[in-house]
Amino acid sequence: MNAEQQYIDLFSQTEAMICQHSTEVMNTPRATAFADFERFGFPTRKQEKYKYTDVSKFFEPDYGLNLNRLDIPVNPYEVFKCDVPNMSTSLYFVVNDAFYNKSLPAAHLPEGVIFGSLKEMAEKHPELVKKYYGKLADTSKDGVTAFNTAFAQDGVLLYVPKNVIVERPIQLVNILRGDVNFLVNRRVLIVLEDGAQARMLVCDHAMDAVNFLATQVIEVFVGENAVFDLYELEETHTSTVRISNMYVKQEANSNVLLNGMTLHNGTSRNTTEVLLAGEGAEINLCGMAIADKNQHVDNNTVIDHAVPNCTSNELFKYVLDDQSVGAFAGLVLVRPDAQHTSSQQTNRNLCATREARMYTQPQLEIYADDVKCSHGATVGQLDENALFYMRQRGIPAREARLLLMFAFVNEVIDTIRLDALKDRLHLLVEKRFRGELNKCQGCAICK
């Protein structure tokens, strides 16, 4: 039985159960998504977009799914104690693919702001969720998005009304918990109305040493003059596979910062597609990956300049050790009417061993004649002259290598517009390079 057939059979047998434990808004596109999945199946290397990661093979094993929505015996507020100095956040949790609502933070969000279970909020605010859910994540174009839409039963909704500023950063922690090999399907829907502002930190952790496979679809709508920062930090383990598709739409004069940091993982495949739909929109798209052993990190990005006078800045850096593999494919598309576009794309990579492999594919498609665009990529090793210079001044070889690698990725960390998180990332990255576990201070999960 191929990977697709077992899930086709499963959906056919459990569709009623899946819908019963979800909500009408999420159930409405389910049949269409399943039909798209039957037609496309899981992506393979034969598809240009997925040529560096054979996604289909990760779905072949037999995973458990919690389609009957049984309670997971864990209180994340007791086991997870994030201690980031000087960073006061509104802390929420998703356990596997269900929003944890048995205990919520005492801090109140501004009036009108909605944050909570996508399932519950779709029942309370059906017209709001219906207006946005599934509108960017096109199931007819991607097999993983179709699969996720067919099976997802819950997720997270963030809604910020017009001109509302959320001062306190929102922190969402995704916890993977299971006694057997487990598959989860998460959804995240983020909507900022005109003039709204918010910052969000999403952390991925795995509690148990079993094989986890997580699919995730994120849809982000950013209105005119709105400002939104989204930071993603993955610190799981080598038996975790994470496949995440993010779709972003920006209106006029909006400003968005996306920064995805992979500090520890098994296999990660991240897709980010940004549509600049209003004049004056600006996207800063950044990423960093530190990998060793046989870890695999693949980032695929598309920035679509659909209108004039928009700006995009893209920066991705990888540090690869041992037999790890990295991949980056970034497309910047400038459409015929998108005059006065300003775009810069940079990918820099370090391979610390001869066995490490990096694949990079920067791409520019320009159909307008009055633009300022550049792109570039490099793959290399540590500067031997710099190492020699540091050793001549009494710095041990290992310490010199660590300092150079830290300086290399520091540019990505410095794009963070949240000082407490920036300071914390400096410490976590240093610990990662030293081979220490990436423990959040005081976190029982990471111990």
Side-chain angles (χ1 to χ4, degrees), residues 39-101:
R39 185 167 67 255
F40 287 117
F42 294 116
T44 68
R45 290 182 185 271
K46 293 180 180 179
Q47 297 174 237
E48 177 70 19
K49 184 178 175 181
Y50 286 91
K51 69 179 181 179
Y52 301 119
T53 305
D54 186 3
V55 168
S56 62
K57 74 176 184 180
F58 297 113
F59 289 86
E60 292 174 358
D62 184 16
Y63 292 96
L65 289 91
N66 188 13
L67 301 181
N68 207 24
R69 314 313 286 170
L70 301 176
D71 285 338
I72 305 298
V74 61
N75 183 347
Y77 286 95
E78 293 180 355
V79 300
F80 185 92
K81 306 296 181 184
C82 187
D83 183 17
V84 180
N86 304 317
M87 186 168 129
S88 177
T89 65
S90 298
L91 180 61
Y92 300 89
F93 292 90
V94 168
V95 180
N96 292 334
D97 49 16
F99 184 81
Y100 188 84
N101 57 8

Side-chain angles (χ1 to χ4, degrees), residues 28 124 187 241 246 389 394 411:
T28 299
K124 293 180 181 178
R187 293 293 290 223
V241 177
M246 183 189 303
Y389 177 88
E411 186 180 2

Side-chain angles (χ1 to χ4, degrees), residues 50-260:
Y50 286 91
K51 69 179 181 179
Y52 301 119
T53 305
D54 186 3
V55 168
S56 62
K57 74 176 184 180
F58 297 113
F59 289 86
E60 292 174 358
D62 184 16
Y63 292 96
L65 289 91
N66 188 13
L67 301 181
N68 207 24
R69 314 313 286 170
L70 301 176
D71 285 338
I72 305 298
V74 61
N75 183 347
Y77 286 95
E78 293 180 355
V79 300
F80 185 92
K81 306 296 181 184
C82 187
D83 183 17
V84 180
N86 304 317
M87 186 168 129
S88 177
T89 65
S90 298
L91 180 61
Y92 300 89
F93 292 90
V94 168
V95 180
N96 292 334
D97 49 16
F99 184 81
Y100 188 84
N101 57 8
K102 292 183 174 61
S103 175
L104 294 174
H108 295 291
L109 295 171
E111 184 177 355
V113 175
I114 300 172
F115 191 91
S117 162
L118 181 58
K119 173 181 178 292
E120 293 182 6
M121 296 306 164
E123 293 170 351
K124 293 180 181 178
H125 310 279
E127 293 305 316
L128 170 64
V129 178
K130 183 179 179 181
K131 180 179 178 181
Y132 296 102
Y133 182 76
K135 298 302 186 289
L136 291 180
D138 190 345
T139 61
S140 68
K141 294 182 179 180
D142 185 272
V144 172
T145 297
F147 175 83
N148 178 281
T149 305
F151 280 94
Q153 295 169 283
D154 193 11
V156 173
L157 168 68
L158 168 62
Y159 170 77
V160 186
K162 186 175 180 179
N163 296 325
V164 172
I165 299 176
V166 183
E167 297 285 355
R168 183 191 296 266
I170 296 172
Q171 184 176 7
L172 176 66
V173 180
N174 295 318
I175 295 178
L176 295 173
R177 172 76 175 91
D179 298 324
V180 298
N181 296 343
F182 211 73
L183 167 62
V184 304
N185 298 289
R186 297 190 294 251
R187 293 293 290 223
V188 180
L189 177 60
I190 298 170
V191 180
L192 274 71
E193 299 285 7
D194 297 349
Q197 296 183 28
R199 294 170 295 178
M200 187 172 175
L201 167 63
V202 181
C203 305
D204 280 14
H205 293 271
M207 283 187 66
D208 302 292
V210 300
N211 296 323
F212 289 108
L213 172 56
T215 74
Q216 176 175 270
V217 173
I218 304 175
E219 296 176 282
V220 183
F221 297 83
V222 184
E224 291 187 14
N225 300 299
V227 179
F228 181 59
D229 292 5
L230 177 60
Y231 307 103
E232 290 191 281
L233 178 60
E234 183 178 5
E235 293 182 279
T236 54
H237 58 56
T238 54
S239 297
T240 301
V241 177
R242 177 182 187 264
I243 305 170
S244 177
N245 292 349
M246 183 189 303
Y247 304 93
V248 182
K249 183 180 180 181
Q250 294 184 231
E251 302 299 341
N253 300 307
S254 60
N255 186 290
V256 172
L257 169 61
L258 306 176
N259 195 327

Side-chain angles (χ1 to χ4, degrees), residues 27 39 44 52 64 69 110 206 211 217 284 321 336 360-361 373 397 416:
N27 291 337
R39 185 167 67 255
T44 68
Y52 301 119
R69 314 313 286 170
N211 296 323
V217 173
N284 295 281
D321 206 347
T360 180
Q361 187 180 6
C373 299
I416 295 174

